[in-house]
Amino acid sequence: MPQAPNQHRYIVRAAGDSAPLQGFIAGLQGEPAIELVEAIGPAQQPHTVVIQTDEATAQQLAQRFSSTNQLMIEPDRPLSLFGHGPA
């Protein structure tokens, strides 16, 4: 799926219990600025999701998540073996 020019992918994961992540996923239906790309984990109880959104929205989410410490967000970066991937 191609990304829009100002859109980036981010990983959102539960810091512990997955219930807050379930609430976040349910709330995405009313958020046109955030696209759910993939849910990772059991079908009815994922522990991680990949979203696509702009940087400003991601920063707003990070601020909101830091106040509860239940969810974490970080940029989705390519994995590489032993850190020898693209910079």
Side-chain angles (χ1 to χ4, degrees):
M1 169 184 325
Q3 293 182 15
N6 63 345
Q7 300 284 299
H8 304 283
R9 290 188 177 190
Y10 297 88
I11 295 172
V12 177
R13 62 186 174 91
D17 179 20
S18 66
L21 185 61
Q22 302 306 314
F24 174 74
I25 294 168
L28 289 179
Q29 294 177 5
E31 282 289 339
I34 304 172
E35 177 186 350
L36 177 64
V37 176
E38 182 177 6
I40 303 165
Q44 299 304 315
Q45 213 171 22
H47 51 75
T48 305
V49 294
V50 178
I51 61 169
Q52 186 167 295
T53 192
D54 61 88
E55 187 175 344
T57 301
Q59 288 176 352
Q60 290 172 353
L61 289 173
Q63 289 175 350
R64 187 172 84 192
F65 294 165
S66 71
S67 67
T68 63
N69 293 322
Q70 294 178 330
L71 296 174
M72 295 182 234
I73 185 169
E74 61 187 62
D76 182 22
R77 295 190 177 110
L79 294 176
S80 62
L81 186 61
F82 306 114
H84 297 289

